[in-house]
């Protein structure tokens, strides 16, 4: 029942377009990967999303969503519902810090709902690679905050929503092995309301910079 044209080209600059074409051929050459299930988005949409993920999104997020660059978030193993919500937030221009505006509004503008669902399915089923382990003392402080919060400052335990292992629960995103620089920046954006989400504003409003750094360092080192 999918209404999109499977043969359309995603609008990218001409150079990228050629790269995408080459990448698509490579993907097609590899063939069906055999993981489609009955409840999956239809195969053509899934194949289109996979080409997009590898050929376009992958230039920043890594072909399988394990971004190698600190600024670009990892998407591998991320909660599918969360990914759908964020792509719709970028498309609807409601997630609005400068990096979201500069990098993701344009990327998401032309994605229709079935493609968003298929992209989320692709990334949530990729295996997340381990992140870097940072300074042990900072990570230990971060673990303390993650598991217990900071009572005197009214900061709740992160684990109560994001799960004891940081793998996310229901619609709460996975944080384990996420790039620490990205986590730090999101916490600052929640605090300043540039990324305007009431629940995370409440969590972050009293966090100091060194506490944000600690929890971000801890999380990147978690499998
Ligand atoms: C030119 C680089 C670039 C490309 C290409 C790109 N992204 Fe992004 N993406 C980013 C940056 C930077 C952010 C972080 C924005 C922020 O800091 O708020 C991001 C954030 C995201 C997020 C939010 C992750 C989270 O944990 O909340 C998702 C989902 C996402 N991108 C998916 C995609 C998809 C799908 C594509 C391809 C259609 C894509 N991106 C292409 C740079 C890129
Ligand atoms: C009451 C539940 C709750 C608690 C407690 C909580 N979070 Fe969150 N967190 C959320 C929700 C919901 C989101 C998704 C926000 C959205 O929809 O954009 C989120 C998103 C995030 C993100 C953005 C993830 C991404 O990929 O962009 C980070 C980073 C984060 N939380 C860190 C923390 C840290 C660190 C703590 C503890 C100090 C914490 N959270 C405590 C509910 C919670």
């Amino acid at each position: 029942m999918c209404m999109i044209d499977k043969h359309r080209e995603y609008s990218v600059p001409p150079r990228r377009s050629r790269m995408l074409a080459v990448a698509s051929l490579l993907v097609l050459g590899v063939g069906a990967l055999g993981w489609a299930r009955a409840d999956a988005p239809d195969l053509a949409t899934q194949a289109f999303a996979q080409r997009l993920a590898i050929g376009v999104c992958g230039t920043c997020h890594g072909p399988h969503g394990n971004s190698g660059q600190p600024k670009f978030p990892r998407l591998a193993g991320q909660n599918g519902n969360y990914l759908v919500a964020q792509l719709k937030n970028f498309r609807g221009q409601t997630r609005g810090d400068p990096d979201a505006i500069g990098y993701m509004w344009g990327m998401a503008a032309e994605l229709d709902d079935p493609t968003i669902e298929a992209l989320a399915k692709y990334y949530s089923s990729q295996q997340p690679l381990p992140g870097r382990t940072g300074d042990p003392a900072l990570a230990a402080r971060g673990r303390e905050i993650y598991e217990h919060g900071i009572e005197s400052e009214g900061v709740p335990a992160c684990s109560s929503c994001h799960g004891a292992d940081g793998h996310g629960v229901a619609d709460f995103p996975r944080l384990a092995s996420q790039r620490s620089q990205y986590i730090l920046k999101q916490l600052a954006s929640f605090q300043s309301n540039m990324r305007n989400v009431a629940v995370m504003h409440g969590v972050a409003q009293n966090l100091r910079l060194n506490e944000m750094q600690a929890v971000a360092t801890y999380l990147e080192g978690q499998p």
Side-chain angles (χ1 to χ4, degrees):
M1 289 303 288
C2 173
M3 307 303 285
I4 63 165
D5 173 9
K6 273 73 188 189
H7 304 292
R8 74 184 173 180
E9 269 299 324
Y10 196 68
S11 63
V12 284
R15 261 260 213 70
R16 275 275 179 71
S17 217
R18 278 200 298 275
M19 277 173 51
L20 174 57
V22 171
S24 308
L25 288 175
L26 288 174
V27 173
L28 290 172
V30 172
L33 297 174
W35 46 261
R37 295 195 310 267
D39 62 342
D42 75 64
L43 286 177
T45 307
Q46 195 63 61
F48 172 69
Q50 187 171 330
R51 288 199 302 273
L52 200 57
I54 293 175
V56 178
C57 320
T59 56
C60 294
H61 294 286
H64 302 287
N66 281 296
S67 151
Q69 297 172 70
K71 188 184 180 73
F72 302 133
R74 291 186 154 191
L75 306 177
Q78 185 54 277
N79 183 317
N81 293 342
Y82 171 77
L83 289 172
V84 168
Q86 297 310 309
L87 287 169
K88 290 183 176 173
N89 288 343
F90 293 130
R91 187 179 64 185
Q93 307 191 342
T94 57
R95 176 169 164 181
D97 89 12
D99 284 333
I101 296 170
Y103 289 92
M104 285 306 301
W105 282 17
M107 277 294 145
E110 294 184 39
L111 300 175
D112 58 17
D113 286 356
T115 306
I116 285 179
E117 296 283 344
L119 282 165
K121 192 159 186 65
Y122 173 77
Y123 285 118
S124 61
S125 62
Q126 300 302 306
Q127 184 65 37
L129 297 179
R132 290 170 313 169
T133 48
D135 175 69
L138 201 56
R141 173 71 182 126
R143 178 181 195 141
E144 181 71 24
I145 296 171
Y146 188 84
E147 291 177 350
H148 304 293
I150 310 172
E151 221 185 320
S152 60
E153 295 173 19
V155 177
C158 320
S159 57
S160 62
C161 291
H162 293 280
D165 54 8
H167 289 190
V169 179
D171 292 347
F172 301 123
R174 177 190 168 92
L175 302 174
S177 71
Q178 184 56 278
R179 294 274 156 202
S180 55
Q181 184 179 310
Y182 171 78
I183 292 178
L184 181 60
K185 213 212 65 182
Q186 298 312 306
L187 290 171
S189 292
F190 288 128
Q191 189 175 63
S192 70
N193 271 331
M194 274 200 295
R195 181 172 172 186
N196 195 348
V197 182
V199 56
M200 276 306 299
H201 178 71
V203 168
Q205 62 183 347
N206 293 333
L207 277 177
R208 299 193 181 94
L209 180 61
N210 66 321
E211 293 160 349
M212 292 182 188
Q213 278 164 336
V215 80
T217 301
Y218 165 67
L219 284 166
E220 180 160 4
Q222 287 310 106

